[in-house]
Amino acid sequence: MPGWLNRLAERSHPVDSPAAGFDGHRPLYVVLDQRRAPERCAELVGQPGWIDFLTLFAGTPLSPLLEASPWLIELTPGSEAWQVAAALCHDQRIGWAFQPAQNARLDALADHLRPLFVLDDPHGGQSLVNLQDPTAWTALLAASSDTAYTQLIGPLGKVVTPTPQRHWQTWQPAEEVGEAEAPSLTHELERALKESPRAWWLSQATDRPLQELPAEWLERLARLDAGGITRWRDRKRLLPLIRHADEATWRYAQATLSDAGLTAAQKISELERLS
């Protein structure tokens, strides 16, 4: 299993409710990818429990993409607005929530998050990180070094992310630190970001928590991807092969995937026969 999935259990634990352990007397905050559900997100504005919001790309080099900017929303715990936002985070996987240990200003929290959307990468350039996507955010938190984890969490306090199952994941608060620079993308972080959509899909398709996925399944799914089988519906047809193929069957499957003379459809047909 990739190391970042192993560290999920070290840095977080499952909870049934996203608000478990939150202080009901202080605001909650939600990072929401409003562009993926614009009408439902717009309906949040002004609902009971809605306090305020900021667009996270405002005042950054990403400001030309302002219409697609994620929102940082301040809400009252237990309110109608919070219930709708929590459902959007989990059911549509378009956000995650947090509550600082102490009262915090909305703009100060936004200032912490904004530099994290564009990080220096190990190739000498910069990469855009979809921080609002709980799949990417989970991978970053799990794969980062202890120092980078502290920098990512920073003043956010208690962070809660949705999972492929019905429960949520709550992350350990980081130790208090002074002002710190945004962490950089390492090769391991890049790999985790690339692997995370596959791991999330496999977890959902098999109803097995991310941290319990066998490494062999993930390696096989990655091999399908490298062999040109990239659509989720095609991968679902091959799920029995991913889960149950013995060593000899999988060697034959690998030869099929490596055959440049076969189209993706032909590979799928041949592999499905092996399932």
Side-chain angles (χ1 to χ4, degrees):
M1 181 188 302
W4 67 275
L5 287 179
N6 282 329
R7 284 196 293 272
L8 272 172
E10 300 172 11
R11 292 179 173 170
S12 65
H13 63 272
V15 292
D16 291 331
S17 167
F22 281 150
D23 184 340
H25 301 289
R26 292 187 293 107
L28 295 174
Y29 299 86
V30 177
V31 176
L32 202 61
D33 188 358
Q34 56 81 29
R35 67 185 172 85
R36 290 174 53 193
E39 293 182 0
R40 289 199 65 190
C41 291
E43 291 171 359
L44 265 173
V45 180
Q47 283 201 22
W50 173 276
I51 299 175
D52 202 356
F53 84 111
L54 290 174
T55 51
L56 287 171
F57 287 173
T60 76
L62 296 173
S63 57
L65 305 175
L66 199 58
E67 290 186 0
S69 172
W71 290 354
L72 175 61
I73 306 171
E74 185 176 10
L75 303 168
T76 301
S79 65
E80 292 181 27
W82 161 242
Q83 297 300 328
V84 173
L88 285 169
C89 289
H90 196 285
D91 298 344
Q92 297 197 32
R93 205 177 77 195
I94 63 171
W96 46 275
F98 66 93
Q99 185 180 56
Q102 300 176 345
N103 289 333
R105 301 191 329 274
L106 184 64
D107 57 351
L109 296 169
D111 287 344
H112 169 74
L113 291 167
R114 282 170 172 150
L116 302 179
F117 284 96
V118 179
L119 299 181
D120 293 337
D121 61 39
H123 314 290
Q126 292 186 313
S127 295
L128 176 65
V129 179
N130 291 323
L131 199 71
Q132 69 277 19
D133 183 346
T135 305
W137 181 234
T138 295
L140 281 178
L141 292 180
S144 59
S145 66
D146 290 343
T147 300
Y149 179 81
T150 298
Q151 293 174 330
L152 288 167
I153 295 288
L156 304 183
K158 180 178 180 180
V159 172
V160 179
T161 55
T163 71
Q165 284 72 47
R166 296 306 303 172
H167 62 262
W168 296 66
Q169 206 82 0
T170 185
W171 296 80
Q172 297 175 7
E175 297 179 2
E176 290 188 14
V177 295
E179 186 175 350
E181 295 181 0
S184 300
L185 285 181
T186 62
H187 287 291
E188 184 177 5
L189 284 173
E190 280 197 324
R191 186 164 55 251
L193 288 170
K194 184 178 294 186
E195 291 171 344
S196 59
R198 292 195 294 264
W200 198 283
W201 177 83
L202 194 54
S203 174
Q204 191 169 47
T206 61
D207 197 29
R208 184 172 291 207
L210 288 166
Q211 57 267 40
E212 295 180 13
L213 290 174
E216 185 177 62
W217 294 4
L218 288 163
E219 291 165 3
R220 289 177 173 183
L221 186 56
R223 187 66 188 85
L224 293 183
D225 187 70
I229 301 174
T230 57
R231 294 189 299 185
W232 295 124
R233 66 182 183 185
D234 293 331
R235 294 172 179 178
K236 189 170 185 179
R237 292 165 57 185
L238 299 174
L239 195 55
L241 179 68
I242 293 171
R243 299 180 67 178
H244 304 303
D246 58 27
E247 187 174 339
T249 301
W250 184 248
R251 279 201 302 270
Y252 185 84
Q254 286 182 297
T256 300
L257 288 166
S258 301
D259 191 338
L262 297 177
T263 66
Q266 289 170 326
K267 291 178 182 178
I268 293 165
S269 179
E270 179 65 18
L271 293 172
E272 198 168 18
R273 187 182 64 80
L274 299 174
S275 300

